Amino acid sequence: MSVRAAKNKRGEILPGVYVIDYYIKGKRHQEQFHGSERDALQLEQHLRRQTTPSQNPPLSAVFPEYLEWHKVHRAPRTTQDVILSWKTLRQVFAELPVSYITQSEIDRYKGLRGHCSPRTINKELDYLKAIISWMVKRNYANPLPFKIEKIRYKKKLPSVPAHRDVLRFIAHLPRNPKPMALLMYLAGMRSD
């Protein structure tokens, strides 16, 4: 599939007219589109989704498009985290269409990542669910027929320094922040 500017018989570019090439069942079709290039590209993407047997493509086929969407709609740090998580997710899920993902595949992934903390595995599975949801919204796949279960874990309680250690720390503070630090400590104010 492609989008290109339309030309008249003399080879001059027609402003605001684009030609969209696409294939349906191996047969080439061309369609003229009047409007902006951006709208022509959007129509081309729509036609691509409808004409390709991409209803249920493997995750690796749509991940680059998902990543481009993610870069625009999510924070850069989250996008970097998705990229890092994909490096491990792709070991099991890259070549699988969504309809081939079963609970046993999820369990196999959990087993492969058994050396990691449950929190890390759950985060990676959340990113997998986000990719699948994105695919479902764009008609690339049907939703999973089951819910991905998270691994249970207990959150660590924060360690609290001893009273004498806190007082020693406050004693070494400069004069100005000392009253504020003492107030925060005695009032139990802290950041969670």
Side-chain angles (χ1 to χ4, degrees):
M1 290 195 169
S2 68
V3 174
R4 65 180 188 282
K7 296 180 180 179
N8 62 16
K9 292 181 181 181
R10 289 177 280 179
E12 299 167 341
I13 294 177
L14 299 171
V17 183
Y18 297 89
V19 176
I20 302 172
D21 281 329
Y22 60 98
Y23 291 85
I24 297 177
K25 297 181 181 177
K27 188 176 178 185
R28 181 179 179 188
H29 297 271
Q30 287 187 338
E31 194 170 307
Q32 265 199 358
F33 177 81
H34 297 269
S36 70
E37 183 178 10
R38 181 175 178 225
D39 291 340
L41 289 168
Q42 286 179 341
L43 177 60
E44 187 241 9
Q45 286 182 347
H46 176 73
L47 290 170
R48 182 186 303 256
R49 282 189 214 110
Q50 288 188 342
T51 60
T52 60
S54 65
Q55 175 61 302
N56 214 9
L59 270 69
S60 61
V62 296
F63 186 75
E65 186 181 343
Y66 172 72
L67 197 56
E68 289 303 313
W69 174 87
H70 205 279
K71 287 176 183 176
V72 173
H73 294 91
R74 299 293 182 261
R77 187 170 175 172
T78 307
T79 302
Q80 288 303 316
D81 208 21
V82 167
I83 292 169
L84 288 173
S85 295
W86 177 247
K87 290 179 181 178
T88 56
L89 286 168
R90 71 178 176 200
Q91 294 172 5
V92 174
F93 303 107
E95 299 309 316
L96 291 178
V98 173
S99 65
Y100 288 20
I101 296 175
T102 62
Q103 188 63 52
S104 61
E105 292 295 329
I106 301 291
D107 293 339
R108 184 167 78 93
Y109 180 76
K110 289 176 184 176
L112 288 173
R113 299 290 288 157
H115 63 282
C116 295
S117 73
R119 186 173 180 212
T120 300
I121 297 168
N122 288 341
K123 179 181 68 170
E124 291 167 352
L125 290 174
D126 282 341
Y127 288 139
L128 175 66
K129 288 192 297 189
I131 293 169
I132 292 170
S133 294
W134 180 86
M135 289 175 70
V136 168
K137 285 180 185 174
R138 282 156 184 74
N139 267 347
Y140 284 136
N142 292 322
L144 290 174
F146 60 92
K147 185 177 178 185
I148 297 177
E149 295 177 31
K150 292 187 175 190
I151 299 173
R152 291 183 178 218
Y153 69 95
K154 286 189 177 183
K155 204 174 185 181
K156 279 186 178 180
L157 292 174
S159 60
V160 180
H163 181 69
R164 67 177 187 282
D165 294 336
V166 173
L167 292 178
R168 195 175 324 142
F169 170 76
I170 291 173
H172 285 74
L173 286 174
R175 194 165 195 247
N176 287 346
K178 195 180 282 191
M180 181 59 76
L182 201 53
L183 173 67
M184 289 172 66
Y185 174 65
L186 293 175
M189 296 193 295
R190 63 186 181 278
S191 171
D192 283 336

